[in-house]
Amino acid sequence: MKTKILSITIIVMLLLFIPSSSFAHKLIPTNGLNSSFEDALEISNHKISWVVYEEINDNELYYTFNGKKGDLFFASIVIPKLENLKNFSPSLAFIGYESHLELIQEFEINNTDKNFLYKLPEGYDVFIFDYSGSHPSNEFYEPFGQVTYWERQEVSFDLPADGTYYLAVYHKNSDPGKYALAIGTIEDFSIYDFFTMLPYAWLSTKLFFNDYVSAVIAISIFLGILSLVGFIVYRKFQN
């Protein structure tokens, strides 16, 4: 436990001083209520590198973004390395106007189907991307959050036309589970993100992986640092 506390203390201090570019994705907070087209979670700029942590349980979750013809669209799904999720492989649906999707080159959407389990708005069509590899799949370790993911499907192609597009993530057998959906490739952080999004993202990652001990320790250390700074400021003004 002492070693764990020391490690988390170092991480918390690094969160305050390391460059923001060390964290590749900007985290999008979500409340899990994006379960319909009307309530789709809006992605402000699909070219920026975003990530959203989600959990599904016999439902689908939606995302939406505006894109321009020729924009690179990139998305991938990864699964937190938790034993109960070893075989969890949700589907990723790309949805847009039928006339737009007809323009996508066939080689860019290999191994897709159109068997969407849910109702589409009139005039829309879908391409569904499933994971076709083995289980457990390749892993990658994310050093910033000190966590490991299982890789699933990755999608990349040029958008066929200007318009509004949607993504949906669901499981064809209604299996419950967690996933991280990554969108975009361009890293874009501000000074504000450095002091707000980075600590929030690290804490959210720990909760996403059910690592509540690390989360509680980190919050305690952070509050301790704030209390110490406040005490020093108080003593200085008292003198």
Side-chain angles (χ1 to χ4, degrees):
M1 178 61 74
K2 290 183 179 180
T3 302
K4 190 177 188 70
I5 293 175
L6 178 60
S7 298
I8 295 175
T9 301
I10 294 172
I11 292 293
V12 172
M13 296 304 294
L14 287 174
L15 288 173
L16 298 176
F17 298 109
I18 60 176
S20 61
S21 60
S22 65
F23 191 72
H25 301 290
K26 298 177 72 170
L27 181 65
I28 302 178
T30 178
N31 55 15
L33 298 179
N34 48 313
S35 57
S36 67
F37 277 92
E38 295 76 14
D39 297 318
L41 181 65
E42 183 175 355
I43 300 169
S44 59
N45 184 344
H46 73 93
K47 293 182 286 187
I48 300 298
S49 183
W50 303 98
V51 67
V52 57
Y53 296 151
E54 295 277 29
E55 184 170 358
I56 51 176
N57 187 2
D58 193 20
N59 67 310
E60 74 276 25
L61 294 176
Y62 293 88
Y63 313 87
T64 184
F65 65 92
N66 292 316
K68 298 290 186 180
K69 180 180 180 179
D71 284 353
L72 175 66
F73 167 72
F74 172 86
S76 68
I77 289 180
V78 295
I79 307 299
K81 188 181 177 182
L82 301 172
E83 184 60 28
N84 64 311
L85 299 178
K86 181 167 58 177
N87 297 316
F88 182 62
S89 295
S91 299
L92 174 62
F94 181 84
I95 303 166
Y97 284 116
E98 184 176 4
S99 59
H100 290 174
L101 267 58
E102 288 176 350
L103 301 175
I104 298 177
Q105 298 297 316
E106 184 175 354
F107 71 88
E108 295 182 309
I109 51 172
N110 288 335
N111 302 317
T112 63
D113 65 65
K114 295 177 176 289
N115 298 319
F116 193 50
L117 301 179
Y118 308 95
K119 185 178 180 180
L120 289 171
E122 186 176 352
Y124 280 78
D125 201 356
V126 61
F127 287 115
I128 300 170
F129 298 86
D130 291 316
Y131 174 69
S132 58
S134 60
H135 294 90
S137 62
N138 293 334
E139 302 175 5
F140 78 89
Y141 178 73
E142 200 280 286
F144 181 80
Q146 297 178 304
V147 293
T148 301
Y149 295 91
W150 280 306
E151 297 177 349
R152 295 295 190 258
Q153 61 268 50
E154 184 175 296
V155 180
S156 179
F157 56 84
D158 292 338
L159 295 179
D162 296 359
T164 300
Y165 297 91
Y166 293 85
L167 303 175
V169 179
Y170 64 100
H171 196 280
K172 291 184 175 180
N173 296 325
S174 300
D175 292 346
K178 294 182 176 182
Y179 65 88
L181 173 66
I183 303 289
T185 60
I186 301 174
E187 297 180 19
D188 179 38
F189 291 89
S190 66
I191 295 298
Y192 176 79
D193 294 330
F194 172 64
F195 289 104
T196 57
M197 186 173 292
L198 270 166
Y200 175 75
W202 185 87
L203 181 61
S204 296
T205 300
K206 291 302 180 183
L207 295 175
F208 187 58
F209 275 78
N210 302 330
D211 187 358
Y212 303 112
V213 173
S214 295
V216 170
I217 293 174
I219 292 173
S220 300
I221 293 172
F222 182 70
L223 292 176
I225 294 172
L226 289 181
S227 299
L228 178 60
V229 171
F231 177 74
I232 293 173
V233 172
Y234 172 78
R235 289 294 301 270
K236 183 176 181 179
F237 280 98
Q238 285 292 100
N239 296 333

